[in-house]
């Protein structure tokens, strides 16, 4: 029985993910500038021709990894209207932290490595810059809203707090299980929250729960 268009698309999607996973391993091990399509094909156990069937260049593969990073970060920050601004910040921190703790090679680590090496292709540099600018603005806006709610230190500058939080969370992606030269644990959520809340404030690190689920009389923290 011939495969349906849906089956064919699922096969194409799975093969594409295999290539991206192999490329991430190669880029992390050899660096973006030293990696070749032949390295990626070998890591994926595929022919050169098949890799080129999905991506026309090494830069196109790296661009797809950038897109993965952006999509995951956007998912971490996905809003839930039932949560307060502070609860949305906590949920985003925990999603990002959970992904790092789960292991695997984060796209953010591959992109950060290329950024530090100064080898980002010109046509992708602007996209990455725009993404981090948008990320910073979204976090600063949530911090400012949480300050108005009384959930974050009111005297701190939202832009500065957002800068510290973005730098810390991006740094988490560099703390991977296969990096034994960094023998320290990932910070707990309550430790990260100390950047945002005064030391005298109660530290509630429970996973954010929609107010609707907590009952109609639930108060904002």
């Amino acid at each position: 029985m011939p495969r349906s268009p849906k089956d064919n698309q699922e096969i194409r999607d799975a093969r594409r993910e295999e290539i991206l996973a192999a490329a991430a391993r190669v880029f992390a091990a050899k660096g973006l500038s030293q990696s070749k399509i032949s390295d990626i094909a070998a890591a994926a156990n595929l022919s050169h021709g098949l890799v080129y069937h999905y991506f026309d260049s090494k830069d196109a593969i790296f661009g797809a990894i950038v897109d993965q990073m952006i999509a995951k970060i956007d998912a971490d920050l996905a809003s839930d209207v039932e949560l307060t601004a502070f609860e949305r910040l906590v949920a985003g921190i925990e999603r990002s932290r959970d992904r790092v703790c789960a292991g695997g090679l984060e796209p953010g680590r591959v992109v950060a490595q290329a950024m530090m090496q100064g080898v980002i292709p010109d046509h992708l540099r602007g996209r990455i810059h725009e993404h981090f600018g948008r990320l910073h603005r979204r976090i600063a806006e949530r911090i400012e809203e949480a300050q108005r709610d009384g959930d974050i230190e009111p005297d701190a500058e939202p832009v500065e707090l957002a800068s510290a939080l973005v730098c810390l969370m991006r740094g988490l992606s560099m703390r991977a299980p296969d990096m034994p030269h960094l023998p320290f644990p990932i910070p707990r959520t309550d430790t990260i929250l100390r950047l945002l809340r005064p030391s005298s404030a109660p530290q509630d690190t429970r996973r954010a729960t929609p107010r609707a689920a907590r009952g109609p009389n639930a108060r904002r923290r």
Side-chain angles (χ1 to χ4, degrees):
M1 180 178 179
R3 290 194 295 261
S4 68
K6 180 181 178 181
D7 292 335
N8 288 330
Q9 185 60 51
E10 288 177 350
I11 291 171
R12 286 193 294 268
D13 291 344
R15 183 57 53 81
R16 186 176 186 276
E17 291 303 311
E18 290 174 8
I19 294 171
L20 291 178
R25 296 193 300 272
V26 171
F27 293 156
K30 302 187 67 172
L32 179 61
S33 62
Q34 298 300 313
S35 300
K36 302 176 180 178
I37 287 288
S38 59
D39 300 322
I40 296 169
N45 197 27
L46 299 172
S47 68
H48 285 61
L50 190 54
V51 172
Y52 277 117
H53 177 73
Y54 287 88
F55 299 96
D56 60 12
S57 67
K58 180 180 71 175
D59 285 356
I61 295 175
F62 183 75
I65 291 176
V66 170
D67 290 340
Q68 285 183 329
M69 178 194 73
I70 292 173
K72 289 188 176 186
I73 294 174
D74 285 345
D76 288 344
L77 288 179
S79 297
D80 187 331
V81 295
E82 295 297 328
L83 301 181
T84 66
F86 184 75
E87 289 169 336
R88 294 198 298 274
L89 284 168
V90 173
I93 291 170
E94 291 191 335
R95 289 180 191 127
S96 180
R97 188 180 181 281
D98 287 349
R99 285 194 289 104
V100 175
C101 289
L105 185 56
E106 278 289 294
R109 176 185 163 193
V110 177
V111 175
Q113 179 176 313
M115 292 172 66
M116 288 188 292
Q117 293 171 343
V119 294
I120 298 290
D122 290 341
H123 69 284
L124 292 175
R125 189 175 292 112
R127 189 193 309 176
I128 295 171
H129 186 273
E130 179 183 356
H131 159 70
F132 280 110
R134 184 173 66 252
L135 171 67
H136 183 269
R137 288 192 298 273
R138 289 175 66 186
I139 291 178
E141 289 169 358
R142 287 188 183 175
I143 289 173
E144 189 171 11
E145 183 181 348
Q147 286 177 317
R148 291 195 297 268
D149 291 341
D151 291 327
I152 289 180
E153 171 61 55
D155 297 328
E157 172 56 50
V159 170
E160 285 289 302
L161 287 179
S163 296
L165 191 56
V166 169
C167 288
L168 189 153
M169 299 311 295
R170 290 303 87 215
L172 285 183
S173 67
M174 300 301 291
R175 174 57 172 89
D178 61 338
M179 298 179 72
H181 58 287
L182 294 179
F184 51 80
I186 293 173
R188 300 189 308 271
T189 300
D190 60 340
T191 301
I192 296 172
L193 293 179
R194 288 181 182 275
L195 288 171
L196 305 177
R197 309 188 82 175
S199 59
S200 59
Q203 300 295 320
D204 186 352
T205 60
R206 294 173 300 173
R207 196 172 293 273
T209 304
R211 287 195 300 278
R214 299 199 300 266
N217 297 321
R219 298 168 57 189
R220 286 188 173 187
R221 292 196 297 272

